[in-house]
């Protein structure tokens, strides 16, 4: 028994041709690659933080990159679902997805955290020079 692939409610993906289905999967894989990359950067950042390198350039740039990747994932996935619904079902479903809101909040949080760590690094360097 073959299960139905359900990305858009109300559409059976078994009706698509192989090329169309492959294109849909390829775009999904690209979006998930960005998410996995963000998780990998977070893991390496946490490793650096656990070693006591709180204000290193690596931590600051990784936080900023993580924020951008999470924002890109959330926005592109919501846009992807919107376009799929428009092309496959020829309808527009108004509203904002909860995943989009969470990804925007998380992305902006990591970008803000990057700025906080950059300012803290600068303050620490000035403090070290004073003593």
């Amino acid at each position: 028994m073959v299960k139905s692939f359900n990305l858009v409610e109300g559409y059976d993906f078994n009706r698509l041709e192989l090329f169309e289905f492959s294109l849909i999967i390829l775009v999904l894989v690209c979006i998930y690659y960005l998410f996995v990359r963000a998780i990998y950067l977070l893991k390496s950042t946490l490793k650096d933080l656990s070693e006591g390198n709180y204000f290193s350039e690596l931590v600051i740039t990784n936080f900023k990159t993580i924020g951008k990747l999470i924002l890109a994932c959330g926005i592109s996935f919501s846009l992807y679902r919107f376009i799929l619904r428009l092309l496959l079902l020829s309808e527009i479903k108004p509203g904002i997805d909860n995943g989009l809101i969470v990804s925007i909040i998380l992305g902006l949080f990591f970008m803000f955290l990057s700025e906080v760590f950059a300012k803290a690094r600068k303050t620490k360097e000035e403090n070290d020079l004073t003593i």
Side-chain angles (χ1 to χ4, degrees), residues 45-87:
T45 303
L46 290 176
K47 181 182 177 205
D48 206 39
L49 285 172
S50 69
E51 292 173 356
N53 302 327
Y54 301 113
F55 308 117
S56 69
E57 190 66 35
L58 176 73
V59 170
I60 295 167
T61 56
N62 279 358
F63 276 153
K64 185 172 239 172
T65 306
I66 290 167
K68 289 178 182 179
L69 286 173
I70 290 175
L71 273 175
C73 286
I75 292 171
S76 60
F77 187 71
S78 294
L79 187 63
Y80 172 74
R81 288 187 65 192
F82 175 78
I83 290 172
L84 267 182
R85 180 176 275 296
L86 184 65
L87 292 176

